Amino acid sequence: MVSSNDVQRLFLQGVFSRSILSFKHAQVLWEKCIDAVKAADPTVDIRFSDKREDWDRFVININNSLNCLDLEFRHLTDEQTGREMYAMVNSKDDEIAQMATDYAPVDIAYFRAVVEQIMLAPHEAYSVSSLVALREVNSLKTNMTKTQAEIVLGSFVANGWLLKSRRGRYSLSTRTLLELLPYLKNAYPEECLECVICYEIVTRGVACSTPNCKARLHYHCCKKYRSRNAKCPACSQDWPQDPKNMTPVGEEAIKDGQDEGRRVQRKSTTNSSDEEEDEEDDDEEMEAEPSQPSRTQTQTQRKGKGKGKAKKKKALADIDMDEDEDEDDEAPQQTQETGRRRSTRTR
C-alpha cells in the first residue's frame, strides 16, 4: 500500500545517491518524491509547500527516523557561494571513520594528516600547498609513496573531500566540514573560528584589521553586513570602504612558499617531542662530562704505572701455577682412563 511515508523513503534514496546537494535542489527532490507518490495513489493526502517552516518540519521528521542508524541530514552554508548545502552524515563521535567505506586505512591516515596541516596552517590560511600535502607521506608509518599519495589526493578532490585551487593549494570542502565538523571542533578547538554573523566555522573569509580583534566573517556574511553597517560588530571600529583592504582568512592570507618550512604539529605532540629532545641532550652532556680528568685520577694513573710491572710478574706466576695445576688434574684422569682400558681387557 502506498502511504505518505513513501515520500521519505524516496527522498532518502535520492539523497544517498548524491554526496551533497543545495537547498533548492533538495526542495526540488522533495517535490518530485511527492509527485511520484501521488501518481501511484492519488488518494494520498500530501501536498508540497515551499515554506521554510514546512521544510524544517520535514527535515526534523527525517532525522528522527535516522537516529537509530546514527545518521543525520545536516546542513551548512557554503563559504564561497553562500548557498545552504545539505548532506547525509554520520552522527557518531569519531566521524573521521565515515570515509572507511570508500578508502583503505592507509588513505584515511593520510587524509587525517593532511587535514591536520590544513587546520594548523599559519596566518589562518586553512590550506596547504601540494608540496606540503605530499610531504605528509613521510610522517606516516606506511609504505605509501609520493606517487601513490598524489593519486589519493586526486581522489579526495574528485570525491569532494578536498578542494584544489588554481594555485595548487588544498583546502577543506563543504562536504568535509559537514562530515567532520564535530571532529574538527574537538581536535582543533583553538583553530576553529566562528563567523560573528552566522556563528558557523570560518575557513574562508575576512578578519577585522584592528589589532587583537577576533572578529571573523564569511565573504557573503561580510557583504550583507556591510550593506547595513560599516563598523566591526565586535570592536565597533570603522572598516575600510574596500573589502579587499581587510585582512583575508583562507588561501589569500598566505603567499607561495610561506608554509613549506618545518612541519607543523599540534601543541601536545610538539611539547612531548621537545621533552624527548631535551632528555637526549642531557644524556649527551652526561656522557661528555668526564672528558677532563681530575688530579686524583692523574695521581692514581701515575701510581698505577709503577705497580704495573709487579702486577705483570704476579700474573705470569699465577698463569704458570694454573698450568701446573691443570697438568696435575689431567694426569689422574689419564690414569683412570688407562685403568678402565686394562679392566676391560682382563674381562
Side-chain angles (χ1 to χ4, degrees), residues 304-327:
K305 290 180 180 179
K307 296 179 181 179
K309 296 180 180 179
K311 290 182 178 180
K312 289 181 180 179
K313 292 180 180 180
K314 289 181 179 181
L316 293 172
D318 293 337
I319 292 171
D320 294 336
M321 291 293 293
D322 293 337
E323 290 178 353
D324 294 337
E325 291 177 356
D326 293 337
E327 291 177 356

Side-chain angles (χ1 to χ4, degrees), residues 33 49 60 89 94 108 120 133 160 165 189-190 269 272 274 338 340:
C33 293
S49 175
I60 291 173
V89 301
D94 188 12
I108 298 173
L120 300 179
S165 65
E190 297 181 359
T269 56
S272 61
D274 293 339
T338 53
R340 290 176 182 174

Side-chain angles (χ1 to χ4, degrees), residues 68-257:
C68 59
L69 301 176
D70 295 325
L71 296 175
E72 181 183 354
F73 189 54
R74 189 179 298 170
H75 68 95
L76 184 70
T77 304
D78 188 278
E79 295 182 291
Q80 292 180 324
T81 62
R83 295 186 301 173
E84 187 178 3
M85 307 299 292
Y86 284 82
M88 191 67 64
V89 301
N90 192 337
S91 60
K92 287 186 177 180
D93 294 335
D94 188 12
E95 297 190 73
I96 197 76
Q98 171 69 21
M99 300 174 60
T101 55
D102 298 329
Y103 292 95
V106 178
D107 301 335
I108 298 173
Y110 179 57
F111 180 79
R112 188 193 298 268
V114 174
V115 169
E116 178 173 334
Q117 294 303 303
I118 291 175
M119 294 301 297
L120 300 179
H123 310 295
E124 297 180 358
Y126 294 104
S127 61
V128 294
S129 62
S130 58
L131 179 62
V132 174
L134 294 176
R135 189 180 60 186
E136 285 304 300
V137 177
N138 300 328
S139 64
L140 302 178
K141 297 180 180 179
T142 60
N143 296 326
M144 178 183 286
T145 63
K146 290 187 177 180
T147 303
Q148 295 173 343
E150 191 172 1
I151 296 173
V152 174
L153 280 173
S155 68
F156 291 154
V157 175
N159 293 327
W161 293 106
L162 294 178
L163 296 177
K164 187 176 182 181
S165 65
R166 295 179 180 178
R167 295 171 56 188
R169 299 187 65 86
Y170 294 93
S171 58
L172 301 181
S173 65
T174 305
R175 181 185 181 186
T176 301
L177 293 176
L178 273 168
E179 293 274 0
L180 308 182
L181 188 58
Y183 166 77
L184 296 175
K185 288 184 177 180
N186 185 29
Y188 311 98
E190 297 181 359
E191 288 76 16
C192 288
L193 305 177
E194 288 186 353
C195 176
V196 295
I197 303 300
C198 65
Y199 301 104
E200 292 183 354
I201 187 171
V202 177
T203 62
R204 298 176 186 85
V206 293
C208 180
S209 56
T210 305
N212 299 326
C213 182
K214 298 182 179 180
R216 304 292 185 271
L217 296 87
H218 296 110
Y219 288 115
H220 56 275
C221 292
C222 180
K223 185 178 180 180
K224 293 179 181 178
Y225 178 79
R226 285 177 63 87
S227 62
R228 296 178 284 105
N229 198 335
K231 293 184 178 181
C232 176
C235 64
S236 300
Q237 294 293 326
D238 292 334
W239 279 347
Q241 295 181 355
D242 190 359
K244 295 182 180 179
N245 295 330
M246 299 181 65
T247 304
V249 175
E251 183 180 346
E252 297 179 359
I254 194 169
K255 297 180 181 179
D256 294 336

